[in-house]
Amino acid sequence: MTWDDLKDAAEAVRTRHMLTLFEDDTRADGFSLDALGMRFDYSKTNIDAAARAMLIEIAREARVEAKRDEMFAGAKINDTEGRAVLHTALRNLDGDPVIVDGADVMPGVLDGLDKTVAFAEAVRDGSFTGQGGKITDVVNIGIGGSDLGPAMATLALAPYHDGPRCHFVSNVDGAHIADTLRGLDPTTTLVIVASKTFTTIETMTNARTAKAWMSEKVTDPAAQFAAVSTSLEKTGDFGIASERVFGFEDWVGGRYSMWGPIGLALMIAIGGDAFRAFLRGAQAMDTHFRATKLEENMPVLLALVGIWHNQGCGYATRAVLPYDQRLSRLPAYLQQLEMESNGKRVAMDGFTLDVDSGPVVWGEPGTNGQHAFYQLIHQGTRVIPCEFMVAAEGHEPELAHHHTLLIANCLAQSEALLRGRSLDEARKMMADKGFTGDELERQARHRVFPGNRPSTTLVYPQLTPEMLGQIVALYEHRVFVEGVILGINSFDQWGVELGKELATSLGPVVAGETGAEGKDASTRTLVEFVLRHRG
Ligand code: F6P
């Protein structure tokens, strides 16, 4: 099967209206999958039985099953960095052996989990205190995978919070840390410096600022710092005592790391039991992914729908639209997960891909997005596949009528995208309003919805810790499958390096310490403008 075969198949049905697929009354069930209490409905796409069979064949030819098994078994599939990829070991709560370089990593993983949870519980119950008493606030300083995961999940699980308040600082923009620390009491604040490498310039700059802030009120600021990192040496140099350093191994990628100690802030917010439930949810998805045939495998089907729309139909972007306010950071989280993993133009063998890489992922929670960008989704000239998500039940029984409206809106949007509104329907609507002649025609045309626009819907019972674990692991494995099919390494991120290097060289230039020689004319004149306007 070639990429051209897939593109031809997509082209052949491009003008077919998806509504015709629903003439078959098995369509909805036949193109939905129920697993682990969730329903993934992809019937509102132009994928038919032939297209699905072709996509499954593509997955088979790419050896998705074999690669999946290699990943779980600890093979060094991240071969541009020479590393295994074992975030799944972090939620392997049963401790089944996972061998890396001849040794079982599981005893260390489970011991690390126990230690991190014990510290989280000590912060929660007050047996670990600040110099002014029980910890009231936790500030997690990290960026990318050391921020987005725990920040997203902490917000998502707000109904389960019974620990200190958690805040997240990521941006090197001083506004972020200044706005966060304002109003906090340094004597009862715990700062977590979360950085896999402990070299990331944004995180280290913010960490030093937080230490200076704390030292104004606290005699031993380092005593109110904890660190999460793979580098014991660097955390020690920063002054953080080893008993508050929670380590992990280089086989956990940054954007896949919230299942381990990088989840410390989340553990403090929701407690060890709820955190373990979160892990259990992810573990259940791992088991489903490993044990289920491709045709009924939720991450695989999610990936194949993505491949159909992006590589087959040529739709360059994908909107993630959670009808769940508490998932409002999920699109940002998925942007890193998907775009840092699959935004690659070179295949494993070093040669340029002969197909587009992963899509642009973006989104906002519904219903807010409806009042912002849905206009373009419904009536713009480009087709944007939409991924809706919604819980059957909220966490506010007294506000069940809100939730009813939320679900109705979610379903209405996918229905509108599917169905659209024809010119005849629009004409009738305007005639009913009293329009006639040319003006009726003109007004009607503005009210046409082309419809036949694809979407998927993921419905889950309620956003519990376990369910969130399932959902995040679902997306992780989806990204993995897409990457395998594209033939790329989803686990490195060389594309972030050049900008980091240039920022380092530009630092002294922007500080006015050195000249901008060697820079292009645009950069030079921008620097000049900035220097003229800086105090
Ligand atoms: O800049 C990319 C990146 O390396 C991400 O992959 C990572 O999640 C983030 O930076 C933060 O890295 P660290 O945890 O080492 O500070």
Side-chain angles (χ1 to χ4, degrees):
M1 205 73 70
T2 66
W3 290 116
D4 282 342
D5 294 333
L6 181 68
K7 287 178 192 166
D8 289 348
E11 191 53 40
V13 297
R14 188 179 292 275
T15 54
R16 170 180 68 187
H17 203 295
M18 286 185 281
L19 272 178
T20 61
L21 297 171
F22 286 90
E23 286 160 13
D24 170 0
D25 32 291
T26 66
R27 170 77 191 172
D29 277 339
F31 289 78
S32 291
L33 180 74
D34 294 334
L36 304 175
M38 304 188 286
R39 166 158 278 218
F40 171 56
D41 179 331
Y42 60 104
S43 64
K44 293 188 184 94
T45 68
N46 223 332
I47 296 174
D48 56 19
R52 182 169 57 191
M54 175 181 241
L55 289 162
I56 296 280
E57 188 54 30
I58 288 173
R60 273 222 169 87
E61 281 178 9
R63 300 182 53 248
V64 163
E65 288 153 302
K67 301 265 181 183
R68 170 197 65 193
D69 295 345
E70 283 174 25
M71 175 175 75
F72 277 94
K76 298 198 173 171
I77 61 171
N78 174 1
D79 77 347
T80 58
E81 296 182 307
R83 292 177 185 166
V85 173
L86 278 177
H87 47 282
T88 51
L90 300 177
R91 55 229 191 186
N92 174 17
L93 292 174
D94 306 325
D96 298 341
V98 178
I99 309 297
V100 178
D101 292 330
D104 181 8
V105 301
M106 284 317 301
V109 167
L110 295 178
D111 185 49
L113 175 62
D114 287 345
K115 283 198 177 116
T116 322
V117 166
F119 178 65
E121 293 297 356
V123 173
R124 285 162 58 80
D125 67 22
S127 43
F128 173 88
T129 61
Q131 286 146 76
K134 195 169 175 190
I135 295 294
T136 54
D137 293 89
V138 174
V139 178
N140 185 87
I141 296 178
I143 196 164
S146 300
D147 165 75
L148 286 164
M152 178 276 290
T154 301
L155 176 59
L157 299 177
Y160 300 86
H161 286 201
D162 50 6
R165 290 179 291 265
C166 288
H167 314 266
F168 293 85
V169 174
S170 52
N171 203 324
V172 76
D173 184 346
H176 201 178
I177 192 149
D179 288 351
T180 307
L181 296 184
R182 189 175 305 123
L184 299 192
D185 178 355
T187 68
T188 58
T189 296
L190 170 73
V191 176
I192 302 170
V193 185
S195 175
K196 181 174 168 179
T197 54
F198 229 71
T199 58
T200 304
I201 186 83
E202 292 94 330
T203 300
M204 299 324 296
T205 305
N206 279 322
R208 282 190 289 270
T209 299
K211 205 168 169 189
W213 167 79
M214 198 168 275
S215 64
E216 283 173 16
K217 286 272 166 60
V218 156
T219 42
D220 183 6
Q224 277 176 229
F225 271 62
V228 184
S229 179
T230 54
S231 174
L232 257 183
E233 194 189 321
K234 294 196 180 81
T235 53
D237 291 347
F238 190 84
I240 303 177
S242 58
E243 71 263 20
R244 288 189 312 285
V245 177
F246 303 95
F248 59 106
E249 303 292 330
D250 70 1
W251 37 254
V252 179
R255 54 192 173 277
Y256 298 88
S257 60
M258 74 164 135
W259 314 102
I262 288 288
L264 176 58
L266 174 64
M267 290 179 212
I268 294 174
I270 64 173
D273 289 346
F275 188 80
R276 283 179 204 274
F278 173 60
L279 298 184
R280 260 199 317 279
Q283 187 184 23
M285 184 53 71
D286 292 343
T287 305
H288 167 83
F289 180 48
R290 292 179 85 171
T292 312
K293 60 179 182 176
L294 297 183
E295 289 81 353
E296 290 164 18
N297 195 308
M298 200 175 271
V300 171
L301 288 175
L302 197 58
L304 293 179
V305 172
I307 294 281
W308 171 259
H309 286 143
N310 187 19
Q311 284 73 24
C313 305
Y315 304 145
T317 86
R318 171 192 297 164
V320 181
L321 307 168
Y323 276 65
D324 202 320
Q325 182 58 27
R326 294 191 178 110
L327 287 181
S328 56
R329 293 298 286 158
L330 185 72
Y333 171 81
L334 290 181
Q335 273 173 344
Q336 188 198 16
L337 184 65
E338 300 235 14
M339 293 163 78
E340 199 166 83
S341 298
N342 289 344
K344 319 264 163 82
R345 53 187 280 287
V346 170
M348 284 293 222
D349 59 11
F351 290 97
T352 308
L353 287 186
D354 54 1
V355 68
D356 283 331
S357 59
V360 176
V361 175
W362 60 284
E364 272 287 314
T367 59
N368 290 5
Q370 291 175 200
H371 300 273
F373 53 79
Y374 279 39
Q375 164 66 41
L376 181 144
I377 290 180
H378 285 290
Q379 288 191 317
T381 53
R382 293 185 184 85
V383 174
I384 296 165
C386 294
E387 299 192 346
F388 295 99
M389 313 171 64
V390 71
E393 213 187 328
H395 283 86
E396 290 73 28
E398 71 287 5
L399 298 177
H401 59 294
H402 284 247
H403 205 76
T404 304
L405 272 176
L406 184 72
I407 297 172
N409 270 277
C410 178
L411 299 182
Q413 292 301 325
S414 67
E415 187 187 357
L417 286 168
L418 169 69
R419 192 173 291 284
R421 184 195 284 144
S422 69
L423 184 54
D424 279 347
E425 287 170 319
R427 281 184 185 129
K428 183 172 177 324
M429 202 174 90
M430 299 318 288
D432 290 348
K433 289 186 196 289
F435 284 83
T436 54
D438 288 352
E439 189 55 8
L440 180 149
E441 189 63 17
R442 192 178 75 82
Q443 292 285 353
R445 284 173 187 272
H446 287 276
R447 288 160 173 81
V448 169
F449 288 65
N452 202 24
R453 299 201 161 186
S455 70
T456 62
T457 305
L458 182 73
V459 194
Y460 43 92
Q462 196 181 35
L463 194 62
T464 60
E466 207 149 352
M467 193 52 64
L468 182 69
Q470 282 184 199
I471 292 171
V472 177
L474 166 67
Y475 277 94
E476 284 181 347
H477 294 321
R478 179 248 197 119
V479 168
F480 170 78
V481 173
E482 286 178 336
V484 169
I485 292 174
L486 291 172
I488 59 181
N489 179 0
S490 297
F491 299 101
D492 59 14
Q493 55 282 320
W494 298 111
V496 303
E497 294 301 324
L498 181 57
K500 283 187 196 173
E501 282 164 28
L502 294 177
T504 305
S505 73
L506 272 165
V509 178
V510 177
E513 292 160 13
T514 59
E517 298 80 25
K519 297 293 174 190
D520 60 84
S522 164
T523 306
R524 272 199 324 265
T525 51
L526 288 168
V527 168
E528 279 162 23
F529 181 93
V530 168
L531 289 181
R532 268 202 313 275
H533 290 84
R534 285 191 91 178

